[in-house]
Amino acid sequence: MKAWLGLGATLLVAIGVAACAGHDWATPADLLHAIGGDRDLRSRLLFEWRLPRVLAAALVGGLLGLGGAIYQGVFRNPLAEPYLLGSAGGAALGATVALLVPLAVPQSILLPVLAFAGAWGATLLVLGIARIAGAVDAAGLLLAGVAVAAILGALRSFLMLALSDETVSLQVVLSWVLGGVQTPTWSVLGWLALMTLVCLGMAALLASRLDLLGLGETMAASFGLDVRRFVALAVLAGSIVVALAVAFGGLVAFVGLAAPHIARWLVGPLHRPLLPASALVGAIVVTLADAIARAVLPPAEIPLGLVTAVAGGPFFIFLLARRLRA
Amino acid sequence: MTAIAADALKVTRGDATLIDNLSLAFGETGSVALIGPNGAGKSTLLKVLAGLEAPRAGSVRVGTGDLALVPKALRACMIGFLPQHFEPHWDLAVGDLVQLGAARNPELAPDAVANILARFELTKLERRRWSTLSGGESARVLLAMVLVADPSILLADEPAAALDIRHRLDVIAALAERGRERLSVVVVHDLDLAFRYFERVVVLVGGKIAADAPAADLIADRRLDEAFGVRFERIRTAGGWSLQASKETT
């Protein structure tokens, strides 16, 4: 209970701090004015631009934390992460196609659909390669993931070079690749919040079966789990979560890796508490990282993905070293 | 009444035939030791009986029905399977692990977890994490996880092989004792323990049954020597028989 109150309070504080931060710092009083419906220009800027952006960052972070926890549960591996396993790269490739290739379908539909297809396809590909190579363990998955991510990255770069012209700006695509939360309108934000809740609900349905899978495939099967079917289902669910995060936040590294770890220290390894706790941790981390991205070099903005990579890279190295030594 | 039976089972992997046209039936109660040399197909047979591996031909019957048609959740409730090695991927607490085992039987009494923890002297360890347990403690946790749902059929694959002798005795005795009220089929490595604790002994060689008899009858049987390719000297001891093997000289 203490851990939950702590997480909730930390998230609220993080959102408050992030809403104040920016190239033009606001005071908490300014924020209250803006939320209270003040019509002055500065208040409206805060309300129309900064607040939705901060909340979108929190939701994207929540999705990344949730997606990471699902992936680690499915792959039974604390080093599994959407970004490392190529599924985020697949989502980004799908998004790039949606942004650059003129198709008859409206982009608002095409983008999430292709991002999902990319995330799902890439994950299945990585799993398949690791299985053919005969090593569905940490090393096999990570190596397959690195290879698939590199191929997908090359494809994406090629598409960017070949297809961008004056009509579609490379800048838009680039901001995706480097990771960056777009500022949504309040109605889009509401839709994202709703989808995040749906994802949390979906994850809750997977929780007890993820626990069974964590006992190992033989034990899980003897306890009544249809292992193959469930893994396919959970990969699908994880891909939906990742695609949603990538659609709104681009490629953000290491949050999906770090958030489940921190959550495991706080609430333990059972998935029913772990999944929402990991989402909360992810939300806190990305909210703060996004605030840093906006506030450090005003008026320019550092891509969010660079901030999380600089902070999360050492964390990954630390985990890897500890695991290899064990 | 037959609880579980194998009907003309055949299991192959690649070119190798692991189980070769094997038929075997077990009653509703009884303790059965499954013995045989390495590669005889003991583990494979147990997995097929547990429904964890599909046979190439033949079938497993439970009660009067085909095991392949039994829903997985019901099968998990009915058959308890103790694997040779168990290592959870996450460092769960003892209580949580046993709870996961209990969850497969929805009709369990609310105090079932507490009772099984008490029975295996795990009550004090309830909050301890798996990684902090000793070998004997983790063996008891595994037993508690599988037995908490009170399966009518227990299939165990040498769960005690890696333990020291005292803990091995505890585990084997617990498994054999279960045969008084339920069916307990155990792959046993230590022949002395197999003949001392179990009522019936099945000898498997090359995926076929080489002998199947009450332990007391089989102990003197020459087929035992043939199955393992050694000459046994049978020594009468206070607790039963002790088998001492020497290389065949004939």
Side-chain angles (χ1 to χ4, degrees):
Chain A
M1 202 58 226
K2 230 154 109 196
W4 292 104
L5 286 176
L7 278 173
T10 312
L11 178 59
L12 286 180
V13 170
I15 289 174
V17 170
C20 291
H23 63 90
D24 171 31
W25 282 74
T27 63
D30 295 341
L31 282 183
L32 289 180
H33 269 294
I35 297 168
D38 194 23
R39 303 301 299 163
D40 141 30
L41 179 65
R42 191 153 181 263
S43 293
R44 281 182 56 192
L45 278 176
L46 278 177
F47 189 75
E48 300 286 333
W49 286 93
R50 194 174 288 167
L51 272 180
R53 163 75 180 261
V54 168
L55 293 175
L59 290 171
V60 164
L63 289 168
L64 285 170
L66 184 64
I70 295 177
Y71 270 73
Q72 292 188 5
V74 176
F75 291 104
R76 285 153 280 156
N77 191 320
L79 295 182
E81 199 229 4
Y83 190 79
L84 291 173
L85 289 176
S87 69
L93 180 63
T96 307
V97 171
L99 285 171
L100 293 180
V101 181
L103 293 168
V105 187
Q107 220 174 60
S108 57
I109 296 171
L110 195 61
L111 203 147
V113 168
L114 284 185
F116 163 71
W120 189 38
T123 311
L124 289 184
L125 192 62
V126 167
L127 200 58
I129 291 174
R131 194 156 272 171
I132 289 168
V136 191
D137 57 2
L141 283 172
L142 287 179
L143 290 176
V146 167
V148 168
I151 296 167
L152 293 173
L155 279 176
R156 194 189 57 224
S157 299
F158 173 76
L159 280 181
M160 283 165 66
L161 289 173
L163 293 177
S164 65
D165 52 34
E166 291 78 27
T167 51
V168 266
S169 139
L170 210 58
Q171 188 71 35
V172 180
V173 186
L174 204 60
S175 78
W176 273 69
V177 176
L178 295 175
V181 177
Q182 318 288 321
T183 302
T185 62
W186 278 99
S187 61
V188 170
L189 186 71
W191 186 82
L192 178 61
L194 185 70
M195 290 309 290
T196 306
L197 281 179
V198 169
C199 285
L200 279 167
M202 183 174 71
L205 294 178
L206 299 176
S208 61
R209 283 176 286 172
L210 284 172
D211 286 333
L212 282 184
L213 195 61
L215 300 176
E217 294 196 3
T218 307
M219 207 58 180
S222 84
F223 278 6
L225 185 72
D226 189 336
V227 172
R228 197 169 292 181
R229 203 152 164 204
F230 175 69
V231 166
L233 181 76
V235 165
L236 193 70
S239 302
I240 293 173
V241 176
V242 170
L244 207 58
V246 170
F248 281 86
L251 280 177
V252 179
F254 293 123
V255 175
L257 175 85
H261 275 275
I262 299 169
R264 230 173 263 127
W265 291 331
L266 293 172
V267 302
L270 277 179
H271 281 88
R272 197 167 294 281
L274 176 67
L275 293 167
S278 179
L280 279 173
V281 173
I284 293 166
V285 169
V286 173
T287 304
L288 292 176
D290 183 59
I292 293 171
R294 284 182 290 114
V296 168
L297 282 179
E301 216 180 81
I302 312 172
L304 172 62
L306 299 193
V307 178
T308 61
V310 166
F315 188 81
F316 176 71
I317 293 167
F318 162 73
L319 288 178
L320 193 64
R322 219 177 54 165
R323 197 167 168 77
L324 290 180
R325 208 166 293 165
Chain B
M1 182 70 186
T2 305
I4 186 165
D7 231 0
L9 279 187
K10 188 176 168 121
V11 179
T12 56
R13 197 167 298 156
D15 293 336
T17 302
L18 302 183
I19 301 286
D20 193 3
N21 195 26
L22 182 149
S23 297
L24 189 60
F26 300 103
E28 277 174 340
T29 63
S31 59
V32 184
L34 207 54
I35 63 173
N38 290 339
K42 306 179 296 270
S43 295
T44 309
L45 175 60
L46 218 59
K47 276 196 170 162
V48 174
L49 286 175
L52 301 175
E53 208 177 306
R56 171 114 200 191
S59 64
V60 176
R61 276 180 299 114
V62 279
T64 50
D66 187 342
L67 179 63
L69 302 177
V70 175
K72 289 188 165 63
L74 185 61
R75 189 198 68 203
C77 216
M78 206 160 62
I79 303 176
F81 178 77
L82 276 163
Q84 203 168 0
H85 302 290
F86 171 66
E87 187 67 50
H89 293 278
W90 308 113
D91 201 9
L92 294 170
V94 169
D96 294 335
L97 285 167
V98 176
Q99 188 60 52
L100 283 177
R104 67 192 205 272
N105 186 348
E107 285 162 18
L108 226 49
D111 59 352
V113 171
N115 286 343
I116 202 95
L117 286 174
R119 196 178 128 207
F120 288 101
E121 294 165 43
L122 294 167
T123 309
K124 278 195 191 131
L125 303 181
E126 189 175 355
R127 307 205 65 78
R128 283 265 297 280
R129 302 230 165 252
W130 172 265
S131 63
T132 68
L133 301 178
S134 71
E137 287 164 349
S138 33
R140 283 185 348 244
V141 171
L142 180 57
L143 268 173
M145 285 171 70
V146 175
L147 293 184
V148 66
D150 197 22
S152 52
I153 300 165
L154 179 68
L155 305 170
D157 189 1
E158 293 188 51
L163 296 178
D164 62 44
I165 183 66
R166 188 170 72 87
H167 292 114
R168 199 155 72 205
L169 282 178
D170 286 347
V171 170
I172 291 286
L175 293 172
E177 201 184 281
R178 205 180 154 73
R180 290 208 199 118
E181 291 156 20
R182 307 271 186 180
L183 173 64
S184 180
V185 180
V186 185
V187 172
V188 187
H189 226 46
D190 186 321
L191 298 185
D192 289 343
L193 295 182
F195 283 100
R196 180 156 14 131
Y197 284 99
F198 292 83
E199 299 161 6
R200 174 179 166 196
V201 175
V202 176
V203 187
L204 217 58
V205 179
K208 290 179 177 161
I209 294 169
D212 177 2
D217 300 346
L218 197 64
I219 186 78
D221 201 313
R222 285 291 140 200
R223 284 179 295 175
L224 207 57
D225 306 59
E226 277 164 35
F228 287 90
V230 295
R231 200 161 50 81
F232 284 116
E233 195 178 335
R234 287 133 172 105
I235 303 162
R236 178 108 226 170
T237 64
W241 290 95
S242 177
L243 292 171
Q244 199 167 49
S246 53
K247 275 278 215 38
E248 229 162 2
T249 44
T250 47

